[in-house]
Amino acid sequence: MASAAVANLEDEFHSTDKPAGPCVMIIFGAAGDLTRRKLVPALYNLAKENLLSTNFAVIGVSVDELNDEAFRDQVTQFLDKEDHTAEMWRWFTERLKYERGDFANQNTYECLAARLQAIDAQFGTGGNYLFYLATAPKFFADIVQHLGRQGLAREENGRWRRVIIEKPFGHDLESARRLNTEIQSALSEQQIYRIDHYLGKETVQNLLVFRFSNSIFEPLWNSRYIDHVQITNAETVGVERRGGYFDNVGTMRDMVPNHIMQLISITAMEPPGSFQSEAVRDEQAKVLHAMKPFQPDEVLHNAVRGQYGDGSFGDSAAPAYRSEPGVAAGSRTETFVAMKFAIDNWRWAGIPFYVRTGKRLAERHTEVTIQFKKTPLQIFQDTAGHKLRTNQLVIQIQPEEGMMLSFGAKIPGSTVRVGSVDMSCEYAKYFKSEPKTGYEVLLYDCMIGDPTLFQRADMVEAGWSVVDPVLDVWRAVSPRKFPNYAAGTWGPKESDDLLDNDGRKWRKI
């Protein structure tokens, strides 16, 4: 995992990372939004930080009729205009190449192999290849197997070959297992990097550092002191132009087995023996295996689904999900999920993990909230103006990255009045960090061969094992009333009831 050395508050935070080694990054599906909005800007940020090798190049592969120049113009449109005159701009853009091809045609891979040999000779990239599958999931297995047949996945003579695979990885447990089997027929597990861009967020990575480098928190991180954990992942956008795709997937498949499970596993994991990738991922996997799958009757009480209807954001009207392009008129697809999970181990026994995620919610916001237990003796509860809340630790992931700790303090005055104080740290202000796409760390880690922030096969399958029983019940039982929340709100009433029934409430955002 990329790291930063911090001397003290007066010093600047200088990066201690070295440039990655020589390689070519091959992006399948390079004509899509992901490449121009996230991947190429992330690569350019790495270049400006001197974290790319001088022996580096990119080849975009897609069915679109483009040449190198047209491809460069397309994928650099989201880079800052002031960068265009910089020397780094010339260096970077001349390394952006394009190869047209059909993913299902073996001839594409023969042409790609020849192009890669030419790139190796031109830029000295040493035969090290990083393949990024920014395509529809139906192409994942085919692309990997074609790479294997062409010999492009073979590692020999010190050359490495790695493949980054976007989510969703399967659509249920059976399909995830099948996909693992298919790609492992051409690749070893060490070559497979199942990406989740949430793990590129600084605050997600900092959860590990926060917990295991601060002795004041780790002793409290258990069922003795923590009442419950909340995870919120809220989006204000609807399905946009993805209605046809999303209507066959839904929020449960789209978000819970990957983003949500990763946040749960990092929050709840035991201290690893080291920060070596396998040690960290072993502990994450243990959390996922300890999560109790729902029995059919438990789904009705511990899982909530919703679908947004008409609503508004300020003065702007928002259409109902069923009115979105590509969505079936009577769609039963959920756009909101709230669940109550239990982790069956010594640290977390009896501590609920509440999660909610959805589209067209009131704000774009992702956070993890650690709600500590009340003090056993509320000695200040009878004081005038008593407003003491229980301690909360909030890890904010997006749009702002930071942390906030609330604790009790005396309100200034001649009488004893107790209130809550929030102590916060905003990453952008404290570390003077530049805005990032969230992919910089992940791409860099893949180039240096560090899989810590990527999912292993067993982690993917464990996540689906928890989700599958809920999907089975939802397929069998129709939703009672869809749509059941207005766009621009925080979801259906049943989401609030999930916590109210336990005497708790969602943290107000």
Side-chain angles (χ1 to χ4, degrees):
M1 181 170 58
S3 61
V6 180
N8 55 51
L9 295 181
E10 288 75 33
D11 292 337
E12 293 188 16
F13 302 94
H14 295 292
S15 172
T16 60
D17 296 316
K18 297 179 180 179
C23 72
V24 183
M25 181 172 172
I26 303 95
I27 306 173
F28 288 93
D33 276 355
L34 179 63
T35 303
R36 58 178 174 264
R37 290 183 179 273
K38 300 294 184 181
L39 300 183
V40 167
L43 289 171
Y44 193 60
N45 287 339
L46 290 174
K48 291 193 291 186
E49 294 176 24
N50 296 314
L51 293 177
L52 290 183
S53 170
T54 54
N55 306 108
F56 175 78
V58 174
I59 299 179
V61 182
S62 178
V63 296
D64 291 30
E65 290 284 357
L66 299 171
N67 57 24
D68 288 352
E69 184 177 355
F71 175 65
R72 291 183 193 122
D73 290 342
Q74 177 173 297
V75 299
T76 57
Q77 61 183 277
F78 287 98
L79 299 181
D80 291 337
K81 297 300 182 185
E82 58 263 28
D83 286 328
H84 291 202
T85 57
E87 178 63 22
M88 181 59 71
W89 176 269
R90 183 198 62 77
W91 179 90
F92 182 73
T93 54
E94 73 178 8
R95 284 162 170 75
L96 299 176
K97 309 293 184 180
Y98 185 76
E99 186 73 28
R100 184 191 178 281
D102 180 347
F103 304 148
N105 190 331
Q106 186 62 30
N107 183 62
T108 296
Y109 302 87
E110 294 171 3
C111 294
L112 178 61
R115 188 74 181 274
L116 283 166
Q117 285 188 340
I119 295 292
D120 285 337
Q122 181 181 2
F123 295 110
T125 44
N128 299 317
Y129 303 150
L130 169 57
F131 300 97
Y132 198 114
L133 307 193
T135 70
K138 64 182 180 181
F139 295 115
F140 292 167
D142 283 347
I143 291 173
V144 169
Q145 290 173 349
H146 278 297
L147 292 174
R149 283 193 286 271
Q150 190 60 38
L152 292 173
R154 187 168 58 246
E155 297 185 312
E156 58 186 5
N157 301 323
R159 296 192 296 261
W160 56 258
R161 309 288 166 85
R162 298 170 189 142
V163 179
I164 297 180
I165 301 178
E166 272 283 347
K167 74 171 184 73
F169 196 91
H171 56 84
D172 57 16
L173 178 58
E174 181 182 353
S175 62
R177 284 174 172 164
R178 184 168 59 249
L179 181 55
N180 275 328
T181 299
E182 290 170 340
I183 65 175
Q184 287 170 347
S185 67
L187 300 167
S188 67
E189 180 62 30
Q190 289 68 35
Q191 293 176 274
I192 304 167
Y193 288 68
R194 301 168 186 83
I195 195 169
D196 184 341
H197 72 270
Y198 268 45
L199 297 193
K201 300 289 186 181
E202 290 286 353
T203 38
V204 175
Q205 300 164 53
N206 197 44
L207 261 172
L208 295 172
V209 178
F210 181 83
R211 283 191 56 196
F212 303 130
S213 69
N214 294 298
S215 60
I216 62 174
F217 286 107
E218 177 55 25
L220 309 179
W221 214 266
N222 55 59
S223 59
R224 182 176 179 183
Y225 297 101
I226 293 176
D227 180 79
H228 69 278
V229 176
Q230 296 181 18
I231 295 176
T232 293
N233 171 246
E235 298 179 280
T236 55
V237 297
V239 294
E240 306 301 298
R241 294 174 295 175
R242 300 169 65 236
Y245 162 78
F246 187 87
D247 206 37
N248 293 310
V249 177
T251 291
M252 175 69 89
R253 289 186 174 94
D254 193 42
M255 298 297 295
V256 178
N258 36 71
H259 295 337
I260 298 299
M261 290 300 170
Q262 287 291 291
L263 291 176
I264 290 175
S265 65
I266 291 177
T267 302
M269 65 186 282
E270 294 295 319
S274 71
F275 271 108
Q276 295 296 313
S277 61
E278 292 312 301
V280 173
R281 296 199 293 179
D282 283 345
E283 297 303 332
Q284 286 185 263
K286 288 177 184 177
V287 172
L288 297 177
H289 286 294
M291 293 182 70
K292 296 175 66 175
F294 294 114
Q295 297 299 316
D297 61 319
E298 292 176 323
V299 173
L300 302 178
H301 301 289
N302 295 325
V304 173
R305 54 181 159 169
Q307 185 186 94
Y308 64 82
D310 295 325
S312 62
F313 293 87
D315 296 331
S316 301
Y321 173 71
R322 291 175 177 176
S323 299
E324 300 275 19
V327 174
S331 174
R332 295 167 47 186
T333 300
E334 79 286 346
T335 61
F336 176 94
V337 171
M339 302 177 74
K340 174 184 173 182
F341 291 112
I343 300 175
D344 196 15
N345 62 21
W346 284 104
R347 182 181 291 266
W348 298 108
I351 303 304
F353 279 65
Y354 300 100
V355 305
R356 58 176 172 173
T357 179
K359 295 186 176 298
R360 289 288 191 212
L361 298 181
E363 290 186 28
R364 175 176 176 261
H365 193 87
T366 300
E367 69 174 35
V368 177
T369 298
I370 310 298
Q371 179 69 60
F372 291 94
K373 291 183 177 179
K374 292 181 179 179
T375 54
L377 295 174
Q378 290 286 327
I379 60 175
F380 298 110
Q381 62 185 350
D382 295 326
T383 60
H386 172 73
K387 296 180 180 179
L388 183 63
R389 303 191 306 265
T390 53
N391 300 121
Q392 276 185 345
L393 173 66
V394 181
I395 298 99
Q396 296 175 323
I397 297 170
Q398 69 175 15
E400 289 83 22
E401 295 181 298
M403 294 187 174
M404 182 177 68
L405 178 66
S406 65
F407 54 91
K410 179 184 177 295
I411 299 172
S414 57
T415 60
V416 176
R417 293 184 301 145
V418 181
S420 291
V421 175
D422 292 333
M423 182 170 61
S424 64
C425 168
E426 294 181 40
Y427 267 62
K429 293 181 180 179
Y430 190 82
F431 292 100
K432 305 297 189 291
S433 59
E434 297 293 328
K436 298 289 174 51
T437 71
Y439 282 81
E440 289 85 356
V441 168
L442 300 173
L443 294 178
Y444 176 78
D445 280 359
C446 191
M447 291 176 192
I448 65 173
D450 183 351
T452 305
L453 298 176
F454 296 82
Q455 287 187 292
R456 246 175 13 197
D458 59 330
M459 297 166 66
V460 171
E461 294 178 11
W464 279 115
S465 295
V466 176
V467 167
D468 263 13
V470 181
L471 291 173
D472 288 342
V473 172
W474 284 358
R475 275 192 296 267
V477 180
S478 297
R480 284 181 239 178
K481 48 176 184 175
F482 269 9
N484 60 355
Y485 71 97
T489 66
W490 282 107
K493 178 181 179 298
E494 290 82 0
S495 172
D496 294 329
D497 294 343
L498 187 66
L499 275 72
D500 286 344
N501 293 337
D502 294 339
R504 301 181 175 105
K505 292 186 180 298
W506 291 108
R507 191 182 90 86
K508 187 176 181 180
I509 296 171

